[in-house]
Amino acid sequence: MKIKFLQAGNGDAIWISFLENEKPVNILIDGGVGDTYKTTKGKPGELFEVVDIIKKEKQFIDLLVLTHFDDDHIGGILRWLNKDKKASCLIKKIWFNSGKEIAKKFESDENKNLDIEIVDGADDFHTSPKQGIKFENYLRDNKLWEGEIIEQGQELTLFGLKFKILSPNQDKLEKLLKLYEKQKDYFTSGSEYDFNTSLKKFIDEESSPLFKFYEDNSVANGSSIAFIMEYEDKNFIFLADAHPSVIIEGLNKFGYNKDNPLNAEFMKVSHHGSSFNTSTDLLEIVNTDKYIISSNASKHGLPNKRTIARIINNNSNAYIYFNYDLKDKVFSEQDWKDYSGFRSKMQNEF
């Protein structure tokens, strides 16, 4: 099995490829920002390259997981569908929690902010003035999706893999339906970076009994599809932008806790390393040395060095992987002197 974390700007795009009974299988989790497919000037990104490889090998995207509605996760997929009229021929199955299906589940009115359209030739789906085909209709018309809701507690088997769904729970789905608004800050930079603060200072701060962890309150992030993928008795944990309390709740449902932690090959750290999405309580339930952060450090102040300090404080032998070359930007010489056990490198293929 090969797992590649594409360079997807400030977003997520993950390509998983392997053989099942000697037949190639491809899973794509999200598609990053629009430029992950192609820039507005036509320069191909890594998502374009993956799609091109799959086409040339006469293979398919056997499962496309769209974890949630944020542009840095679905922007590249939407740009691909907008630009390539034959894209649907390459996709076999989609996991996607649509606004219409969530409204049906709760017997409630739809939230029109959850509508997505395929707009022929458009670059950015939230800003396009053109009318298009509703995304849900596109999926149904092309027989890519049966309208199923993916939610916490499900155990799904596909391609010889077992998926244990950790997020979203019903509360987060209902909040998405009631409260979601389209992003207004897609093209802005957001918070400040905390790279100049030492690991030791963060660890000392969080060792104080006065320290309080604050969880992400983003409605879209809370609706993220997050899961454990089991392959040949090995577990891989993909957390999208999910909220830590929900992930813990999901892990508990599958029997994992501090006394019985999940042994994992790696954790794809939630929300590009945000300090609001990785709690100490969560870290204590996942037993791994490999932590993967998907971000180019271009927006929203992510990744947070505070998150990395929290990881290292929990696991002094942690290996922090970035899918961009951020190691020297994030860590100082003093950090390496203070904590000699952890390691870090740029690596996006496993």
Side-chain angles (χ1 to χ4, degrees), residues 331-344:
F331 302 113
S332 67
E333 288 185 17
Q334 190 61 46
D335 290 329
W336 297 111
K337 290 177 183 176
D338 290 338
Y339 300 95
S340 59
F342 88 95
R343 293 159 292 168
S344 180

Side-chain angles (χ1 to χ4, degrees), residues 2 6 14-17 24-28 46-63 80 87 89-92:
K2 180 178 76 174
L6 307 188
I14 305 164
W15 176 31
I16 304 169
S17 57
V25 176
N26 296 286
I27 299 172
L28 186 62
E46 289 201 347
L47 176 60
F48 180 93
E49 292 169 3
V50 168
V51 169
D52 196 47
I53 289 167
I54 292 171
K55 280 181 183 176
K56 286 178 178 175
E57 295 293 329
K58 297 184 179 178
Q59 298 175 13
F60 298 94
I61 297 172
D62 298 276
L63 175 65
W80 171 35
C89 299
L90 207 66
I91 304 167
K92 291 291 188 182

Side-chain angles (χ1 to χ4, degrees), residues 6-274:
L6 307 188
Q7 292 196 328
N10 58 299
D12 276 6
I14 305 164
W15 176 31
I16 304 169
S17 57
F18 61 100
L19 294 176
E20 184 203 14
N21 297 326
E22 300 185 2
K23 180 182 176 182
V25 176
N26 296 286
I27 299 172
L28 186 62
I29 305 171
D30 290 328
V33 298
D35 285 0
T36 312
Y37 180 68
K38 261 188 185 180
T39 68
T40 54
K41 294 182 178 179
K43 182 181 178 181
E46 289 201 347
L47 176 60
F48 180 93
E49 292 169 3
V50 168
V51 169
D52 196 47
I53 289 167
I54 292 171
K55 280 181 183 176
K56 286 178 178 175
E57 295 293 329
K58 297 184 179 178
Q59 298 175 13
F60 298 94
I61 297 172
D62 298 276
L63 175 65
L64 171 60
V65 181
L66 301 177
T67 63
H68 62 297
F69 282 82
D70 278 347
D71 303 271
D72 59 333
H73 288 254
I74 63 171
I77 299 297
L78 268 285
R79 190 170 289 181
W80 171 35
L81 299 182
N82 287 344
K83 299 287 188 182
D84 183 356
K85 292 183 179 180
K86 294 183 179 180
S88 63
C89 299
L90 207 66
I91 304 167
K92 291 291 188 182
K93 183 178 180 65
I94 289 182
W95 285 355
F96 167 67
N97 287 336
S98 80
K100 185 182 289 292
E101 293 302 321
I102 297 170
K104 282 184 188 177
K105 178 181 177 68
F106 292 105
E107 298 180 349
S108 181
D109 293 335
E110 291 181 44
N111 179 345
K112 296 301 181 184
N113 281 315
L114 293 172
D115 286 347
I116 297 174
E117 294 186 337
I118 305 298
V119 182
D120 187 23
D123 286 314
D124 298 299
F125 59 100
H126 278 342
T127 58
S128 173
K130 299 179 185 176
Q131 292 295 307
I133 304 167
K134 289 213 172 192
F135 187 53
E136 293 159 11
N137 293 340
Y138 175 91
L139 299 183
R140 288 188 191 278
D141 291 347
N142 288 287
K143 297 181 173 57
L144 305 178
W145 178 69
E146 297 171 355
E148 68 269 40
I149 295 286
I150 305 297
E151 61 183 310
Q152 185 187 81
Q154 292 172 329
E155 195 165 326
L156 307 170
T157 302
L158 288 170
F159 325 117
L161 305 177
K162 187 179 290 183
F163 297 87
K164 295 176 179 176
I165 309 301
L166 304 175
S167 170
N169 60 17
Q170 290 204 16
D171 177 62
K172 298 300 181 183
L173 287 172
E174 191 164 20
K175 282 184 177 173
L176 182 75
L177 180 66
K178 302 292 186 185
L179 302 174
Y180 178 77
E181 294 181 0
K182 289 179 181 175
Q183 285 177 278
K184 297 180 175 64
D185 63 344
Y186 182 37
F187 298 103
T188 61
S189 58
S191 306
E192 295 292 323
Y193 293 95
D194 62 359
F195 302 156
N196 289 332
T197 302
S198 70
L199 289 173
K200 187 176 187 305
K201 183 173 181 181
F202 283 129
I203 289 172
D204 287 347
E205 277 182 12
E206 300 208 2
S207 298
S208 165
L210 299 176
F211 176 77
K212 185 176 180 181
F213 173 76
Y214 290 95
E215 182 164 284
D216 180 11
N217 62 7
S218 162
V219 172
N221 289 346
S223 73
S224 290
I225 296 173
F227 53 85
I228 303 162
M229 184 183 78
E230 186 178 320
Y231 173 74
E232 294 184 348
D233 297 322
K234 294 181 178 180
N235 296 306
F236 305 83
I237 185 165
F238 297 91
L239 297 181
D241 289 359
H243 291 170
S245 62
V246 178
I247 299 165
I248 291 169
E249 182 183 77
L251 287 165
N252 291 165
K253 284 188 175 183
F254 288 109
Y256 301 111
N257 52 51
K258 291 180 184 179
D259 296 324
N260 182 39
L262 169 70
N263 293 315
E265 296 300 303
F266 65 62
M267 173 196 284
K268 201 296 290 184
V269 177
S270 179
H271 196 201
H272 322 292
S274 168

